[in-house]
Amino acid sequence: LTKFGFQGMTKKDYKAEALDYIEKIIADAKNEINEIDVSKDVKDEAIMELDKAEASATIEINSSTSKAEIDAAIDSANRTIDMQISNVTAEYYRQLDEAKASASAEVQAKAEAAKAEINEFDVTDYYKDSAKSNIDNAVTEAKAAIASATSKDLINDAKDEAIDKIKIEVERIRPTS
């Protein structure tokens, strides 16, 4: 732990500090992972790997005969932490991209269905074209907002807002018979 700031300690104290350090860095990593907006199973898998790393490091530290072995156990735990946080972060971006594609497709599908419905209305082409143009604008705005969204909540907000605008346009020109 010399590189971790525990210089001049006895091996026994060094082990105790190393065990405390491992416990702290694993707990911090778990907290960081739990803050990432990914599915529960992704978080659970990463946390399981962190638990294994903590158990392994604890065994290695307790059975160590030198400070170098303790340092190696800490290095191994840090590599596992870095790898798990990296994996969860990568999965977050994958899921975010998937959510963006799904939301854009849903908005586009709702818009196409709404325009088809509008084409069946017994109203002038002027009103039909106006409503379809407003729907196209809502889709364009939504796709831009979805593309720049940094969370699933923002994606859903943009999608829901567009769908509401589409519904409003359909209802605005729906004949009242």
Side-chain angles (χ1 to χ4, degrees):
L1 285 171
T2 30
K3 62 180 166 184
F4 302 105
F6 304 110
Q7 298 175 358
M9 294 183 176
T10 65
K11 188 167 64 170
K12 181 179 176 184
D13 290 341
Y14 199 71
K15 279 185 178 185
E17 289 295 324
L19 291 169
D20 288 346
Y21 179 75
I22 290 292
E23 187 177 319
K24 181 190 179 321
I25 63 173
I26 295 291
D28 289 348
K30 287 178 181 180
N31 288 336
E32 186 173 342
I33 286 169
N34 279 320
E35 292 300 314
I36 299 172
D37 186 16
V38 293
S39 60
K40 183 179 180 328
D41 60 314
V42 171
K43 289 179 185 184
D44 289 347
E45 183 178 327
I47 288 172
M48 182 181 69
E49 291 301 320
L50 293 176
D51 288 340
K52 288 179 190 175
E54 182 176 17
S56 177
T58 299
I59 291 168
E60 290 173 29
I61 290 168
N62 283 328
S63 65
S64 68
T65 58
S66 70
K67 290 180 179 178
E69 289 176 356
I70 294 170
D71 288 346
I74 291 170
D75 285 343
S76 177
N78 273 319
R79 281 191 302 278
T80 299
I81 288 168
D82 291 345
M83 182 174 56
Q84 291 308 313
I85 289 173
S86 177
N87 290 347
V88 172
T89 301
E91 180 61 17
Y92 163 75
Y93 284 110
R94 189 197 68 70
Q95 289 182 8
L96 194 65
D97 288 344
E98 189 176 275
K100 287 179 179 185
S102 175
S104 288
E106 186 176 343
V107 168
Q108 188 65 49
K110 295 282 186 188
E112 296 305 320
K115 290 193 280 185
E117 184 178 1
I118 288 169
N119 281 335
E120 300 301 316
F121 290 166
D122 186 19
V123 295
T124 66
D125 286 345
Y126 172 81
Y127 287 112
K128 289 179 184 181
D129 291 344
S130 171
K132 290 190 281 186
S133 176
N134 289 340
I135 288 171
D136 288 340
N137 289 339
V139 170
T140 300
E141 289 172 12
K143 286 185 175 184
I146 289 167
S148 66
T150 55
S151 73
K152 293 175 189 170
D153 287 342
L154 292 173
I155 292 168
N156 287 329
D157 289 349
K159 176 190 76 172
D160 293 345
E161 183 179 330
I163 290 171
D164 287 346
K165 287 179 180 179
I166 291 166
K167 288 176 183 175
I168 288 169
E169 284 305 311
V170 171
E171 294 309 314
R172 184 178 66 84
I173 67 159
R174 182 184 302 279
T176 55
S177 344

